[in-house]
């Protein structure tokens, strides 16, 4: 029970590390004496709540252009409009912007003026989901911490796009049109602090190359990935959450060590073409292998032996840390092998 609580607390810590700034606005306190009457100008197309003077709400208004943004604004909401362009001029005075939400518009790469975004030196969060982008926009401000580009038409990442984004912790490229040749070996160079990378629902057949060393959450569901190169995880020694559901992974496509990687705590391999349970680390806590082609569970292969356990044996006094195992949708017939329960004594749920 204590181990489960520790794991849950660890998950919350990781999630909070990536997302903590997104709730910061709730606690921002601004002294009304800091503003003059001239600071409270408000574009007629938008709403400026007196109780939240640093926010500008322009969403769901059928706007085709971005209005001039007052200098006091930190949080800008422009989602659900008909905006096609991001010119420089509306942001001339918006030097304090931290958050821009432009989801669900009609923005194209050609519509983004080159200096429009990079001039926003304090910008932390940029939301451009559900637009018409065909490549990752560039240049972007060095201050940026989260870039959300889900559900566009992105198929290209121009060279050097991420080279100055050392503060970026989250990059969401899910549900785009990325293929393997969209990446160069140095595509992700510069993303020194990236922790979460989401490239689910693209058209990848191979694992993306040379990921940032600090990557902790890697989501690659719903691609067509067939294999994982040998020693692939050596480059991302901190990866803890790995999702490869709905791909084309086979036994032959896995590294010789399988997923015997001490950093991985949550491994999801549902809906692939595996016929055997791969090797895993004694540290792994959650394993999803449902809807593969597995016929039996060879415990002697998957159970980490004493020689495989790390030096800090006290933490493994009850054996490997696996607590959740999902095997339904395979060709395995009950009962559960007793050897499985003997090896993984901390198991709390097994679904077959």
């Amino acid at each position: 029970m204590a181990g489960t609580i520790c794991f849950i607390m660890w998950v919350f810590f990781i999630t909070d590390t990536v997302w903590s700034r997104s709730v910061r606005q709730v606690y921002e306190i601004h002294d009304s004496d800091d503003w003059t009457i001239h600071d409270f100008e408000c574009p007629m197309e938008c709403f400026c709540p007196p109780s939240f003077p640093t926010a500008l709400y322009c969403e769901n208004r059928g706007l085709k252009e971005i209005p001039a943004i007052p200098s006091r604004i930190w949080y800008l909401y422009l989602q659900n409009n008909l905006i096609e362009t991001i010119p420089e001029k509306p942001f001339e005075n918006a030097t304090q912007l931290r958050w821009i939400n432009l989801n669900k518009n009609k923005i194209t790469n050609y519509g983004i003026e080159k200096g429009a975004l990079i001039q926003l030196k304090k910008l932390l969060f940029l939301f451009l989901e559900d637009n018409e982008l065909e490549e990752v926009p560039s240049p972007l401000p060095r201050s940026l911490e989260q870039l959300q580009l889900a559900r566009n038409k992105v198929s290209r990442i121009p060279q050097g796009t991420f080279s100055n984004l050392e503060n970026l912790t989250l990059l969401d490229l899910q549900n785009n049109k990325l293929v393997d040749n969209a990446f160069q070996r140095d595509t992700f160079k510069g993303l020194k602090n990236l922790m979460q990378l989401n490239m689910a629902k693209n058209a990848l057949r191979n694992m993306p190359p040379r990921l940032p060393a600090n990557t902790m959450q890697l989501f690659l569901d719903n691609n067509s990935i067939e294999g994982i190169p040998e020693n692939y995880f050596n480059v991302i020694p901190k990866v803890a959450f790995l999702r490869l559901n709905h791909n084309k992974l086979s036994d032959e496509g896995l590294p010789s060590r399988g997923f015997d990687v001490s950093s991985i705590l949550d491994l999801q391999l549902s809906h692939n073409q595996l016929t055997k349970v791969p090797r895993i680390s004694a540290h792994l806590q959650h394993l999803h292998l449902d809807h593969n082609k597995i016929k039996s569970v060879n415990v002697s292969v998957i159970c980490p032996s004493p020689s495989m356990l790390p030096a800090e044996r006290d933490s493994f006094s009850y054996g490997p840390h696996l607590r959740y195992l999902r095997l339904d949708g395979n060709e395995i017939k009950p009962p559960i092998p007793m050897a499985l329960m003997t090896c993984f004594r901390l198991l709390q749920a097994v679904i077959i």
Side-chain angles (χ1 to χ4, degrees):
M1 182 62 181
T4 303
I5 293 173
C6 289
F7 175 70
I8 293 171
M9 290 179 66
W10 196 90
V11 171
F12 282 138
F13 171 75
I14 293 301
T15 306
D16 182 67
T17 302
V18 178
W19 288 99
S20 59
R21 289 184 180 270
S22 64
V23 298
R24 184 173 57 184
Q25 68 184 68
V26 177
Y27 303 102
E28 294 285 356
I29 299 175
H30 300 278
D31 190 338
S32 59
D33 293 337
D34 292 341
W35 313 104
T36 68
I37 190 66
H38 302 290
D39 289 320
F40 283 92
E41 60 177 305
C42 185
M44 61 181 298
E45 308 95 326
C46 308
F47 171 62
C48 302
S51 60
F52 194 6
T54 57
L56 181 61
Y57 292 90
C58 312
E59 75 277 22
N60 301 304
R61 295 168 191 265
L63 299 182
K64 294 185 178 181
E65 296 181 350
I66 298 174
I69 311 303
S71 60
R72 72 177 187 279
I73 299 302
W74 283 34
Y75 307 101
L76 175 59
Y77 299 89
L78 284 161
Q79 65 270 28
N80 290 301
N81 281 293
L82 303 171
I83 296 168
E84 297 181 1
T85 62
I86 305 179
E88 290 184 35
K89 190 169 179 58
F91 298 101
E92 281 180 341
N93 298 316
T95 57
Q96 300 299 315
L97 271 176
R98 267 69 166 179
W99 172 298
I100 300 178
N101 189 334
L102 277 159
N103 291 344
K104 295 186 178 180
N105 278 282
K106 298 180 179 296
I107 298 166
T108 65
N109 290 96
Y110 298 106
I112 303 176
E113 197 169 350
K114 190 170 184 179
L117 296 172
I118 199 169
Q119 68 178 326
L120 305 175
K121 304 298 184 183
K122 296 184 179 180
L123 188 65
L124 301 175
F125 299 87
L126 179 58
F127 297 82
L128 283 166
E129 298 177 349
D130 298 285
N131 277 280
E132 304 291 329
L133 299 174
E134 296 183 0
E135 61 183 45
V136 178
S138 179
L140 295 170
R142 186 182 300 270
S143 57
L144 201 63
E145 294 185 0
Q146 292 191 18
L147 178 58
Q148 307 267 3
L149 298 172
R151 294 175 299 279
N152 276 275
K153 301 175 182 179
V154 175
S155 62
R156 299 185 300 275
I157 304 176
Q159 190 166 11
T161 295
F162 302 126
S163 60
N164 71 320
L165 299 183
E166 66 264 22
N167 293 305
L168 200 71
T169 60
L170 184 150
L171 175 59
D172 189 348
L173 286 163
Q174 67 173 305
N175 212 337
N176 276 282
K177 297 185 176 182
L178 291 169
V179 295
D180 295 331
N181 63 13
F183 306 107
Q184 307 299 319
R185 284 186 63 82
D186 62 349
T187 293
F188 299 102
K189 186 177 181 180
L191 298 178
K192 298 176 182 178
N193 290 297
L194 191 72
M195 296 176 65
Q196 184 183 113
L197 177 59
N198 191 340
M199 290 190 288
K201 296 186 178 180
N202 278 280
L204 304 179
R205 298 186 64 183
N206 296 292
M207 299 290 282
R210 303 293 297 180
L211 296 182
N214 284 317
T215 303
M216 301 182 77
Q217 302 176 28
L218 178 58
F219 306 143
L220 293 166
D221 313 83
N222 293 92
N223 280 282
S224 298
I225 296 172
E226 299 175 350
I228 301 172
E230 198 72 27
N231 301 317
Y232 182 82
F233 299 108
N234 290 355
V235 181
I236 45 174
K238 297 181 181 180
V239 63
F241 301 86
L242 179 60
R243 291 198 332 221
L244 282 159
N245 302 317
H246 293 277
N247 276 283
K248 297 182 179 181
L249 289 172
S250 64
D251 303 325
E252 296 75 20
L254 301 185
S256 57
R257 291 178 57 214
F259 295 93
D260 185 6
V261 180
S262 62
S263 63
I264 299 178
L265 302 179
D266 189 289
L267 176 60
Q268 300 188 22
L269 300 169
S270 305
H271 294 273
N272 276 280
Q273 299 173 9
L274 302 174
T275 63
K276 297 181 293 186
V277 178
R279 284 177 59 181
I280 59 174
S281 161
H283 293 264
L284 187 68
Q285 298 190 16
H286 288 198
L287 177 59
H288 298 247
L289 286 167
D290 55 286
H291 298 91
N292 277 274
K293 299 179 180 180
I294 300 170
K295 295 182 179 180
S296 62
V297 180
N298 188 338
V299 180
S300 64
V301 173
I302 69 167
C303 182
S305 63
S307 62
M308 296 167 63
L309 297 180
E312 56 269 34
R313 294 182 182 275
D314 288 346
S315 65
F316 292 92
S317 57
Y318 293 98
H321 289 176
L322 192 67
R323 288 167 168 79
Y324 179 91
L325 175 60
R326 186 170 175 183
L327 289 165
D328 55 304
N330 284 284
E331 300 175 29
I332 302 171
K333 296 181 180 179
I336 299 170
M338 183 57 64
L340 185 70
M341 307 307 295
T342 303
C343 172
F344 300 106
R345 285 178 285 171
L346 297 177
L347 266 176
Q348 297 176 354
V350 181
I351 303 173
I352 295 183

